[in-house]
């Protein structure tokens, strides 16, 4: 049994996945009377491709990986949920997270009645590798790490990720939701070396497609097969597949979004550093800034009074006094800065 399969829940190892009508049929046909669809043409009367093959071929070119290493989910949130359901036995196994981090890892574990072990980041927001390894055991089925991290904005050190890839006993999920803002730092190139690595990416951020809900898990074909076995049969609808295919032709446009966001992030960071109540604007590799200030609650509510919503992260570990502010359009950022200046 492979290293990965040993980590899989017994019921999933034994699972006979649902087999959809369209999936079973491999030949050519003109008349489809196999899936109880409405035969009258609406453009949407047929079920979509359950394995999204055309979209995966397109994405594999962009991500420089084989289509068999791609799983597509209804947002990366679906992949997070399915990974927990594949590997973690409720009440027996646990996931590990490294707060402050993205909130859905714990929510998905809680929903599945899977325990969560937490090892805080160090004060420089890097990984406490020794602490993580000390806390882990044979029931530590998944370690979720976000890089660049939400809400702190920093990339995790590659040497630390590699050490964990070598020594952590379970699956290491590296959530790269913000990687398009710093593409050279992706861990996708390490997939062939580490069978227990899963990289999550999404079209919701730099690609500007949050509304269509399309997340990507990139991993060994063995892990992708497991995710496909537990997913709902038609988890990516046809409209999403079509929209993604046409947006993915516009990689230049995405690069332009990234360039403009990074330019604006630098400007926002500079402007906010000059405010008398701002203590630290943390460096960021993503499309948001974590900002430590004297009275975050007052600033948060004063911004709301002016119709500006940011995220209060001041109750997160290591984020006392911090608001997380997404980089907006030039005009939105100018209004934000003007409002923040008026609160001095
Ligand atoms: C780190 C991280 N992972 C995943 C997600 C969710 O992405 P998706 O829209 O693909 O579900 C987010 C959204 O904010 C995020 O910050």
């Amino acid at each position: 049994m492979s290293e990965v399969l040993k980590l899989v829940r017994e019921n999933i190892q034994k699972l006979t996945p649902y087999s959809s009508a369209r999936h079973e049929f491999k030949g050519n046909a003109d008349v489809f009377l196999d899936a109880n669809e409405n035969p009258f043409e609406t453009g949407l009367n047929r079920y979509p491709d359950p394995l999204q093959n055309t979209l995966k071929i397109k994405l594999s070119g962009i991500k420089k990986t084989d289509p068999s290493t791609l799983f597509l989910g209804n947002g990366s949130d679906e992949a997070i949920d399915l990974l927990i359901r594949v590997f973690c036995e409720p009440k027996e196994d646990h996931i590990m997270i490294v707060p402050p981090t993205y909130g859905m890892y714990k929510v998905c574990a809680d929903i599945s009645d899977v325990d969560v072990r937490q090892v805080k980041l160090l004060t420089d927001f890097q990984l406490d590798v020794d602490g993580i390894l000390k806390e882990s055991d044979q029931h530590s089925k998944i370690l979720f790490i976000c890089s660049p991290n939400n809400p702190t904005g920093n990339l995790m050190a590659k040497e630390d990720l590699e050490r964990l890839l070598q020594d952590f006993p379970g699956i290491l999920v590296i959530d790269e939701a913000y990687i398009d803002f710093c593409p050279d730092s992706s861990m996708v190139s390490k997939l062939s070396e580490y069978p227990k690595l899963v990289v999550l990416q999404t079209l919701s951020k730099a690609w500007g497609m949050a509304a269509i809900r399309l997340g990507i898990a990139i991993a060994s074909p063995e892990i992708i097969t497991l995710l496909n076995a537990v997913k709902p049969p038609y988890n990516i609808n046809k409209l999403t597949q079509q929209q993604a295919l046409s947006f993915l032709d516009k990689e230049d446009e995405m690069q332009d979004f990234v360039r403009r966001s990074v330019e604006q992030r630098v400007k926002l960071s500079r402007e906010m550093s000059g405010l008398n109540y701002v203590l630290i604007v943390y460096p960021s590799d993503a499309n948001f800034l974590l900002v430590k200030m004297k009275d975050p609650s007052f600033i948060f509510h004063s911004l709301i009074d002016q119709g500006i919503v940011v995220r209060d992260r001041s109750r997160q570990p290591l984020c006392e006094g911090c608001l997380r502010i997404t980089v907006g359009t030039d005009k939105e950022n100018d209004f934000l800065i003007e409002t923040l200046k008026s609160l001095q």
Side-chain angles (χ1 to χ4, degrees):
M1 198 187 274
S2 76
E3 216 183 335
V4 166
L5 217 52
K6 279 187 208 147
L7 296 167
V8 174
R9 289 168 70 197
E10 223 174 290
N11 62 319
I12 303 296
Q13 290 185 26
K14 290 190 202 139
L15 179 73
T16 307
Y18 179 77
S19 178
S20 62
R22 223 35 46 88
H23 194 186
E24 278 177 14
F25 178 70
K26 301 271 191 282
N28 285 318
D30 296 320
V31 182
F32 286 98
L33 304 176
D34 57 343
N36 300 345
E37 295 152 327
N38 184 330
F40 304 108
E41 197 51 61
T42 64
L44 296 170
N45 53 319
R46 299 295 179 182
Y47 283 107
D49 174 1
L51 291 174
Q52 314 96 23
N53 285 311
T54 312
L55 183 51
K56 281 182 186 163
I57 289 168
K58 175 129 223 159
L59 260 175
S60 68
I62 294 172
K63 301 292 175 194
K64 302 192 175 39
T65 181
D66 192 83
S68 64
T69 64
L70 297 175
F71 166 84
L72 300 182
N74 187 340
S76 24
D77 285 345
E78 184 177 30
I80 294 167
D81 178 48
L82 294 180
L83 283 162
I84 292 175
R85 289 203 268 153
V86 166
F87 292 104
C88 302
E89 193 57 43
K91 297 186 199 301
E92 237 174 68
D93 296 326
H94 56 262
I95 65 159
M96 294 189 69
I97 61 170
V98 289
T101 188
Y102 180 51
M104 281 303 285
Y105 315 134
K106 175 164 166 34
V107 173
C108 291
D110 287 347
I111 292 170
S112 286
D113 210 358
V114 165
D115 273 350
V116 180
R117 279 195 193 167
Q118 315 203 20
V119 178
K120 268 196 283 184
L121 294 178
L122 301 169
T123 48
D124 61 357
F125 300 146
Q126 288 297 321
L127 295 160
D128 176 3
V129 178
D130 291 330
I132 294 169
L133 293 175
K134 212 167 102 205
E135 278 298 306
S136 64
D137 57 38
Q138 83 274 22
H139 289 291
S140 307
K141 290 296 185 69
I142 310 179
L143 167 59
F144 285 96
I145 291 174
C146 184
S147 179
N149 189 37
N150 175 6
T152 56
N154 59 294
L155 282 160
M156 297 303 170
K158 259 200 171 142
E159 316 81 78
D160 289 349
L161 294 175
E162 294 229 29
R163 216 182 123 205
L164 288 167
L165 280 165
Q166 272 150 23
D167 296 344
F168 182 71
I171 301 290
L172 176 53
V173 176
I174 303 185
D175 186 342
E176 297 187 340
Y178 300 95
I179 203 68
D180 297 309
F181 296 95
C182 46
D184 295 343
S185 303
S186 175
M187 292 294 281
V188 168
S189 58
K190 298 283 172 194
L191 281 164
S192 54
E193 269 171 76
Y194 299 108
K196 294 189 296 178
L197 168 64
V198 177
V199 176
L200 299 181
Q201 297 191 359
T202 179
L203 300 194
S204 297
K205 307 295 175 185
W207 281 96
M209 287 191 261
I212 70 169
R213 311 302 300 125
L214 196 82
I216 311 160
I218 315 173
S220 64
E222 191 177 25
I223 294 180
I224 299 302
T225 303
L226 288 160
L227 290 172
N228 283 332
V230 296
K231 79 180 182 69
Y234 303 104
N235 62 327
I236 308 295
N237 70 67
K238 183 172 175 181
L239 296 174
T240 292
Q241 295 189 43
Q242 283 173 341
Q243 280 295 323
L245 271 170
S246 72
F247 268 77
L248 288 169
D249 275 332
K250 304 179 197 162
E251 211 176 338
D252 288 356
E253 214 168 288
M254 183 275 277
Q255 304 291 6
D256 197 48
F257 290 151
V258 168
R259 189 188 51 74
R260 283 157 63 193
S261 293
V262 170
E263 216 173 82
Q264 285 292 309
R265 182 185 77 207
V266 171
K267 181 177 154 194
L268 266 184
S269 170
R270 191 177 56 238
E271 296 272 11
M272 285 197 274
S273 302
L275 297 167
N276 64 9
Y277 54 84
V278 165
L279 303 170
I280 308 172
V281 182
Y282 289 99
S284 171
D285 287 297
N287 66 336
F288 56 84
L289 288 164
L290 187 73
V291 187
K292 195 183 196 82
M293 51 189 76
K294 280 184 190 144
D295 190 350
S297 178
F298 168 74
I299 302 296
F300 178 80
H301 290 288
S302 305
L303 287 174
I304 287 185
D305 290 344
Q306 296 305 311
I308 302 172
V309 191
V310 299
R311 193 90 152 114
D312 184 352
R313 296 281 83 181
S314 58
R315 280 173 295 279
Q316 297 289 305
L318 306 179
C319 295
E320 295 79 13
C322 289
L323 300 182
R324 191 196 69 197
I325 302 178
T326 307
V327 178
T329 62
D330 305 13
K331 203 166 144 214
E332 288 168 339
N333 299 332
D334 288 346
F335 180 47
L336 170 72
I337 290 297
E338 189 188 314
T339 310
L340 287 172
K341 280 185 176 162
S342 74
L343 301 172
Q344 292 192 99

